[in-house]
Amino acid sequence: MQNENMIPLFKVFVSKDIDKPLLETIHSGWIGEGPRVQEFEAVLKKYFGNDNLVTLNSGTSGLHLAYHMALHQNDYKGYYNSNVDEIITTPITCTATNTPILCNGAKIIWADVDPVTGSISPEDIENKITKNTKAVTMVHWGGNPCDIDKINEIAHKAGIMTIEDGAHSMGMEYKGKKFGNHSDFSVNSLQAIKHVTSVDGGLLWMKSEKDYQRAKLLKWYGIDRTIREGIDLRCEIDVPEAGYKFHMNDVCALIGNVNFKHLPELLKKHRDNAKFYDKAFKNCSNVLPVLENPNGKSAYWLYTIHVDNRDELMQKLKSLNIMSSKVHARNDTHSMFSEFKSELPGVEAFNRTHLCIPVGWWVSENQREYIAEQVIKYAK
Ligand SMILES: Cc1ncc(COP(=O)(O)O)c(C=O)c1O
């Protein structure tokens, strides 16, 4: 049973304007990928300033496609170069960042993270590049940008592709440019509890036109969906490369598009609450808040603090009707990843003390004051 007085850590946002267009779409006679997907993609391309976008059925599908393309840069006939190709990645994330690496038949090489921000360490990436490295993945924890330029510089010097997992990062900016414009592949999630939800969905942004054209095919079995006069695309078009069924449908696109209009106001609330906490914890020696990368603007999907008594504080906050959580624990301890184990002191330190407290659009001014007071009172 849900406690109605509990201040949640996550909340689903659905626009009040959804009912009419949603009913119209469901009864329109076209609920697969069609006009609503095209409209949503046009809105997103304009807002983010990058035309190389495909909408997908999840962020995980976006990551799977990015790994597929980075591992097989020209084409793929169905044989993985198993256990040879390497992807450098972080364990401080959702397992969805890393399971598609195994599903793509590649090896995981863990890089360490900054013990406070949880961002992957550019120096450790550099240490771990080998002749078998095909890509490096950075995760913007809570929507706070990693050192994107440095990572791109290191990777590109070594001829390696870069992937940004921005599942937490809707609305994030780095050096004045919006997410989706910095690396070879960038992925957003539109899953239920993200800033903008399409119920489930994902966005894959690409730097190159060539990857974009390829992703358009791979998201639907490898088949070119462009409608051409007199050609039955299912029966008459050659399929050069095996693809997936990862496309977004019109119902999800409609929901995503209506919700997306609210992004500026939602982001503002997340950011205002975060700035309030930054001030509140400034002089509190028992609480170390994760501050925004000065080169960017965090989307603040999460507000993260470090406290020595993390597990105890989490229980105490729960008893005070404040939900808090680690959200994601280090991935490298799962048995599916056991063969890739390595020493990661930054990961160890981050994972021992990190805690996320409610910061989203639903947290009122009174609630954030109450949360900050209780954290300061019980943090050790
Ligand atoms: C860091 C991270 N990456 C990837 C994903 C997967 O996104 P999706 O649920 O849209 O597949 C999530 C999910 O929340 C996530 O938190």
Side-chain angles (χ1 to χ4, degrees):
M1 266 274 282
Q2 222 172 348
N3 171 357
E4 288 192 352
N5 296 319
M6 185 70 84
I7 306 170
L9 188 60
F10 300 116
K11 198 162 176 174
V12 175
F13 174 84
V14 177
S15 168
K16 291 193 173 66
D17 303 329
I18 204 88
D19 297 18
K20 189 166 173 280
L22 181 57
L23 273 178
E24 280 168 9
T25 301
I26 286 176
H27 295 296
S28 67
W30 191 304
I31 54 175
E33 181 181 341
R36 302 290 88 83
V37 169
Q38 282 172 9
E39 279 165 19
F40 191 27
E41 287 188 352
V43 165
L44 292 164
K45 286 174 182 183
K46 190 162 174 233
Y47 182 89
F48 286 85
N50 182 357
D51 281 346
N52 297 332
L53 159 76
V54 292
T55 50
L56 301 166
N57 58 2
S58 72
T60 310
S61 300
L63 288 159
H64 194 103
L65 276 187
Y67 291 128
H68 175 110
M69 289 193 278
L71 287 162
H72 316 286
Q73 281 174 35
N74 295 310
D75 64 357
Y76 165 60
K77 298 278 185 262
Y79 302 100
Y80 285 123
N81 199 7
S82 211
N83 264 347
V84 175
D85 293 337
E86 296 172 356
I87 306 279
I88 298 175
T89 182
T90 165
I92 294 296
T93 184
C94 172
T95 49
T97 309
N98 295 315
T99 47
I101 299 175
L102 296 194
C103 297
N104 268 295
K107 266 174 93 168
I108 285 178
I109 306 296
W110 301 117
D112 208 357
V113 302
D114 180 284
V116 178
T117 62
S119 297
I120 192 165
S121 149
E123 292 74 28
D124 207 35
I125 291 171
E126 198 160 24
N127 288 338
K128 290 186 171 156
I129 291 175
T130 71
K131 65 179 186 346
N132 294 325
T133 311
K134 288 290 188 308
V136 51
T137 307
M138 59 194 110
V139 174
H140 308 300
W141 176 270
N144 193 23
C146 295
D147 213 341
I148 301 175
D149 276 0
K150 203 160 177 193
I151 295 168
N152 269 293
E153 193 189 312
I154 292 167
H156 290 158
K157 209 167 89 193
I160 292 161
M161 299 193 97
T162 49
I163 299 171
E164 289 180 52
D165 179 343
H168 302 175
S169 304
M170 179 56 77
M172 183 189 101
E173 290 179 28
Y174 179 75
K175 295 196 177 169
K177 272 202 277 179
K178 291 195 168 75
F179 180 84
N181 287 287
H182 299 280
S183 299
D184 297 304
F185 302 100
S186 310
V187 175
N188 283 127
S189 164
L190 305 175
Q191 175 260 348
I193 55 173
K194 299 295 160 44
H195 293 80
V196 174
T197 182
S198 62
V199 179
D200 249 326
L203 310 178
L204 173 61
W205 303 95
M206 285 145 287
K207 264 265 152 153
S208 94
E209 160 80 15
K210 182 170 160 250
D211 288 331
Y212 167 57
Q213 294 301 340
R214 192 174 173 205
K216 277 206 290 188
L217 304 187
L218 288 174
K219 71 172 181 168
W220 199 62
Y221 308 121
I223 302 173
D224 184 353
R225 287 177 71 94
T226 315
I227 294 172
R228 285 175 219 107
E229 203 55 45
I231 293 183
D232 179 343
L233 58 90
R234 275 194 190 77
C235 306
E236 292 176 42
I237 303 264
D238 178 46
V239 181
E241 181 181 14
Y244 304 90
K245 191 178 177 191
F246 282 172
H247 69 284
M248 181 175 277
N249 64 55
D250 262 20
V251 178
C252 290
L254 182 278
I255 296 170
N257 203 358
V258 174
N259 285 335
F260 186 74
K261 294 182 177 48
H262 297 269
L263 179 62
E265 83 209 44
L266 298 175
L267 267 176
K268 184 174 182 321
K269 288 195 179 151
H270 283 249
R271 287 180 173 146
D272 285 352
N273 286 336
K275 294 300 155 199
F276 173 86
Y277 288 140
D278 283 353
K279 268 201 197 132
F281 299 138
K282 199 168 177 204
N283 296 317
C284 175
S285 57
N286 292 336
V287 181
L288 177 63
V290 175
L291 299 179
E292 194 173 40
N293 181 336
N295 286 318
K297 275 190 179 176
S298 175
Y300 281 113
W301 186 61
L302 302 172
Y303 189 90
T304 310
I305 56 172
H306 291 275
V307 288
D308 282 343
N309 64 336
R310 191 259 318 278
D311 294 343
E312 182 193 50
L313 180 63
M314 203 157 61
Q315 289 313 317
K316 186 69 202 172
L317 293 177
K318 192 172 173 197
S319 75
L320 295 164
N321 286 331
I322 301 166
M323 202 68 208
S324 65
S325 167
K326 293 185 273 185
V327 182
H328 305 302
R330 59 188 298 175
N331 284 190
D332 54 332
T333 51
H334 289 296
S335 48
M336 67 176 153
F337 299 129
S338 57
E339 68 187 279
F340 311 119
K341 263 207 158 5
S342 63
E343 282 290 303
L344 301 164
V347 168
E348 186 73 39
F350 182 90
N351 196 60
R352 191 172 53 240
T353 56
H354 83 279
L355 184 66
C356 303
I357 58 174
V359 71
W361 53 269
W362 58 94
V363 178
S364 69
E365 289 186 13
N366 284 344
Q367 286 175 329
R368 72 191 188 191
E369 270 173 37
Y370 172 66
I371 293 167
E373 262 168 37
Q374 302 313 313
V375 168
I376 291 167
K377 190 162 170 192
Y378 293 105
K380 286 184 195 150

